[in-house]
Amino acid sequence: MLNLVLFGPPGAGKGTQSQKLIEKYGLIHLSTGDLLRNEIAQGTILGLEAKKLMDEGLLVPDEVVIGMISNKLDANPQAKGFIFDGFPRTVAQAAALDTLLSEKNTAISGMVALVVDDQELENRLLLRGKDSGRPDDANPEVIRKRINEYNSKTAPVAEFYKGQDKFTSINGIGSIEEIFGSVSSVVDQY
Ligand code: B4P
C-alpha cells in the first residue's frame, strides 16, 4: 500500500495537492479538516464541540481525530492506499496512526512537507477567506493562532518521521503544477 502523509502549516497547499494526488495515484483522501467540517455541517455533538476550537484556531482533541481516522480506515478495506492531509498534527496522533496501520499490516510510506513562509500563508488564507465562508480564514489574528499551534504542536511531528527516515521537504511556493511535479517525484520513489 502507498500511504502518504502530506504535511505543512495551514495554507501550505495540502488540500490543493491532495486533490491532484488522489487522481494520479488512485488513493483515498483522508482530511481531518474536511471530516470535522462535515460534522459541523451535520450539526453533530462532535461538530459543535469541534467548531468552538476550530473557530479560535486551536486544535481539536487527539482522541476525536484519531477516532475519525480509525473509522475511515475500517470503512475502506480495499483501498490501494491513503493520503493523510492535516493528520497527524501532534506526535500523539502520529504514534496512534502507526498503531492503527500496523494492525492492518501496513505502514506510512513517507511524509512530504510543503515549506511556505508565514507571510505567504497568511496572504493565501485571507484570500481564501473571501469566499470560503470559513471563520478560521477570515481573521488575521485567528490565522496567526493557527500558525502558532502548528509551530508548537505540529512541527515536532516532522521529527517523528525523520526518526523513521521517512521525511522529505519540498518548496511549497510556486505554481500548483510545479509543486505537484516535486511531490510526485518523491512519491514515485516510494
Ligand atoms: P485543515 O482543514 O486541515 O486546513 P488548513 O490547515 O487550512 O489547510 P488546507 O489544506 O485547507 O489549505 P491548503 O493548504 O490546501 O484544518 C482546519 C482546522 O481543523 C485546524 O485549524 C484544526 O482546528 C482542525 N483540525 C484539522 N485536523 C486536525 C487534527 N488532525 N488535529 C486537531 N485538529 C485538527 O490551501 C490554502 C489556500 O492556498 C487555498 O486557497 C489554495 O487555493 C491556496 N494555494 C494552494 N496552493 C497554492 C500555491 N501553490 N500558490 C498560491 N496559493 C495556493
Side-chain angles (χ1 to χ4, degrees):
M1 272 174 100
L2 201 171
N3 296 310
L4 168 69
V5 177
L6 207 49
F7 190 68
K14 304 181 295 285
T16 306
Q17 295 297 326
S18 292
Q19 289 310 324
K20 301 179 75 66
L21 289 162
I22 54 178
E23 269 175 47
K24 178 164 181 180
Y25 295 98
L27 305 172
I28 302 233
H29 181 206
L30 296 185
S31 156
T32 38
D34 288 351
L35 293 172
L36 290 166
R37 282 185 288 278
N38 196 27
E39 295 283 340
I40 293 171
Q42 289 178 17
T44 63
I45 295 172
L46 190 160
L48 289 173
E49 302 269 314
K51 181 171 169 43
K52 284 185 226 150
L53 295 163
M54 290 169 75
D55 287 358
E56 279 187 58
L58 300 171
L59 294 183
V60 305
D62 286 338
E63 57 274 20
V64 172
V65 284
I66 292 166
M68 289 193 317
I69 290 288
S70 174
N71 290 342
K72 288 288 168 187
L73 292 176
D74 288 345
N76 290 283
Q78 307 298 335
K80 281 169 65 181
F82 295 91
I83 297 183
F84 297 94
D85 163 9
F87 180 91
R89 256 180 162 94
T90 64
V91 171
Q93 292 179 20
L97 180 59
D98 270 3
T99 305
L100 288 173
L101 292 177
S102 71
E103 283 165 1
K104 298 188 184 305
N105 297 317
T106 185
I108 290 298
S109 312
M111 164 184 269
V112 178
L114 301 169
V115 179
V116 177
D117 64 81
D118 289 1
Q119 189 56 57
E120 170 74 7
L121 297 173
E122 196 173 325
N123 294 345
R124 286 184 188 179
L125 294 175
L126 285 172
L127 191 66
R128 183 173 66 183
K130 288 186 181 163
D131 46 30
S132 71
R134 279 177 55 172
D136 60 342
D137 283 348
N139 177 337
E141 228 173 89
V142 172
I143 290 174
R144 282 194 283 273
K145 180 104 72 75
R146 288 164 66 191
I147 295 172
N148 286 343
E149 282 278 271
Y150 172 83
N151 287 329
S152 62
K153 296 179 185 162
T154 307
V157 176
E159 301 305 317
F160 182 92
Y161 289 99
K162 279 180 195 168
Q164 298 184 0
D165 214 9
K166 290 182 177 175
F167 178 87
T168 310
S169 72
I170 64 163
N171 180 8
I173 296 189
S175 77
I176 289 168
E177 283 307 325
E178 271 166 3
I179 297 164
F180 181 58
S182 308
V183 179
S184 297
S185 61
V186 176
V187 174
D188 287 339
Q189 287 166 24
Y190 292 154

